[in-house]
């Protein structure tokens, strides 16, 4: 069992299924990290106090030995210790609770406090007027002034209803642990299935902010398959195709100022780091 009190410069990455997780992009990103890093389950929340089982029903299935088992919906905490970095990662993969949000968040805060986490990254995804033919828009904000300054983050200007991601991030800040909120914008007209392209975009943002090497595994091919399916869907319906074209024009016009030398240089540096990691003998 991993000792949470002895983790190396730990960072927390959290995602919750439900209102905050359009097209399962956020939880898909954390699921990918759990699998690729072979993360170890260290604790899970007792679901009895926080979930309505008529809304989030338990599931029956078979385990790896072929034995029938019952799995309750809950929030689980994993620890990953990537071999190619000097820090450990606490991964929270959960479901937005149906009740007693403050008690739920407090249980997670106790884990964050015990681990001496330095930063909390909360992932989310929302439906937006975004064309599937362009890169998934990803935004990163923080209410922590020092972190915002060092990472060049924008302060959040959102006002309105929030989900468990907003509650958890806010309470982490109150605990003294700086929190970053990273959101991907999913094309609303094709959000009926999981979007690995968005999960990949969220992970790329995490990689850039934390300077953390993230294995992509099969995610790029899954993203390409999603892209092909979205292309076929839009080609089959002239009205959808016309709508996508209008979104492309709006997006391209809005993105023109972002095509700066600094943005291009930053992306090129990220590419070089990945290439040198995968091919250390390449000059």
């Amino acid at each position: 069992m991993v000792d949470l009190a002895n983790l190396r410069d730990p960072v927390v990455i959290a995602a919750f299924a439900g209102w905050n997780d359009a097209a399962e992009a956020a939880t898909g990103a954390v699921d990918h990290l759990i699998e690729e890093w072979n993360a170890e389950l260290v604790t899970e929340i007792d679901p009895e106090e926080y979930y309505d089982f008529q809304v989030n029903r338990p599931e029956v299935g078979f385990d790896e030995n072929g034995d029938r088992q019952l799995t309750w919906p809950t929030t689980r905490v994993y620890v990953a210790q990537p071999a190619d970095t000097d820090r450990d990662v606490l991964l929270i993969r959960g479901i937005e609770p149906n009740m007693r949000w403050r008690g739920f968040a407090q249980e997670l805060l106790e884990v964050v406090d015990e681990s001496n986490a330095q930063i909390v990254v909360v992932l989310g995804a929302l439906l937006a007027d975004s064309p599937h033919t362009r890169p998934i828009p990803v935004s990163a904000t923080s209410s922590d002034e020092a972190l915002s300054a060092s990472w060049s983050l924008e302060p959040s200007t959102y006002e309105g209803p929030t989900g468990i991601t907003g509650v958890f991030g806010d309470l982490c800040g109150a605990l003294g642990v700086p929190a970053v909120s990273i959101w991907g914008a999913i094309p609303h007209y094709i959000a009926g299935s999981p979007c690995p392209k968005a999960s990949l975009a969220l992970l790329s943002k995490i990689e850039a902010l934390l300077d953390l090497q993230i294995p992509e595994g099969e995610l790029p091919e899954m993203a390409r398959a999603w892209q092909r399916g979205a292309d076929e869907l839009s080609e089959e319906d002239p009205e959808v195709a016309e709508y996508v074209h209008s979104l492309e024009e709006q997006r391209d016009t809005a993105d023109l100022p972002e095509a700066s030398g600094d943005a291009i240089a930053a992306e090129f540096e990220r590419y070089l780091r990945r290439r040198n990691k995968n091919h250390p003998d390449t000059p």
Side-chain angles (χ1 to χ4, degrees):
M1 177 67 70
V2 175
D3 183 0
L4 292 180
N6 291 316
L7 297 181
R8 305 170 299 162
D9 190 23
V11 60
V12 177
I13 301 175
F16 301 91
W19 191 78
N20 318 269
D21 189 32
E24 302 176 21
T27 52
V30 172
D31 286 340
H32 176 80
L33 294 178
I34 291 171
E35 180 177 355
E36 290 293 324
W37 279 336
N38 195 27
E40 178 181 342
L41 177 65
V42 291
T43 189
E44 61 181 47
I45 287 180
D46 184 346
E48 194 72 23
E49 295 295 319
Y50 306 113
Y51 295 104
D52 180 346
F53 297 136
Q54 290 183 321
V55 177
N56 296 290
R57 291 183 178 274
E59 296 184 0
V60 293
F62 296 92
D63 62 18
E64 57 187 14
N65 299 318
D67 297 324
R68 194 167 182 83
Q69 68 176 6
L70 179 67
T71 302
W72 292 92
T74 190
T75 293
R76 298 178 173 88
V77 180
Y78 302 79
V79 168
Q81 298 179 301
D84 55 356
T85 182
D86 57 357
R87 76 187 321 170
D88 296 324
V89 184
L90 207 64
L91 298 166
I92 299 176
R93 202 293 192 191
I95 305 169
E96 185 173 71
N98 304 112
M99 59 198 81
R100 301 182 180 89
W101 281 28
R102 284 178 291 185
F104 174 86
Q106 184 59 44
E107 290 203 33
L108 293 181
L109 288 174
E110 290 173 2
V111 175
V112 172
D113 189 41
E114 182 182 354
S115 71
N116 296 310
Q118 304 300 302
I119 299 171
V120 171
V121 177
V122 185
L123 304 181
L126 71 162
L127 301 181
D129 293 331
S130 175
H132 73 276
T133 53
R134 298 293 185 267
I136 297 292
V138 176
S139 63
T141 61
S142 178
S143 298
D144 186 270
E145 294 183 0
L147 189 62
S148 296
S150 62
W151 284 6
S152 299
L153 302 176
E154 294 293 329
S156 175
T157 58
Y158 171 77
E159 293 182 298
T162 190
I164 193 62
T165 56
V167 171
F168 181 55
D170 184 76
L171 292 176
C172 284
L175 185 66
V177 182
V180 180
S181 181
I182 302 178
W183 283 74
I186 313 297
H188 68 87
Y189 57 90
I190 193 167
S193 59
C195 182
K197 182 177 179 179
S199 296
L200 187 60
L202 289 171
L203 292 174
S204 295
K205 190 66 172 180
I206 293 173
E207 187 176 58
L209 290 177
L210 298 179
D211 193 23
L212 186 66
Q213 182 72 25
I214 294 178
E216 293 183 337
E218 298 180 358
L219 202 53
E221 179 54 39
M222 295 170 62
R224 287 190 288 270
W226 178 89
Q227 183 74 49
R228 290 192 295 269
D231 288 341
E232 293 173 0
L233 177 65
S234 63
E235 290 168 0
E236 291 172 357
D237 190 327
E239 291 186 1
V240 173
E242 182 179 355
Y243 178 63
V244 171
H245 180 65
S246 69
L247 292 179
E248 290 172 338
E249 291 182 334
Q250 295 173 22
R251 174 69 182 277
D252 293 345
T253 300
D255 282 354
L256 283 176
E258 297 179 9
S260 64
D262 289 343
I264 294 171
E267 182 60 27
F268 185 63
E269 288 175 2
R270 177 177 173 273
Y271 161 76
L272 289 178
R273 286 198 302 270
R274 181 176 293 281
R275 187 191 69 166
N276 292 337
K277 182 69 179 179
N278 294 334
H279 305 283
D281 297 329
T282 301

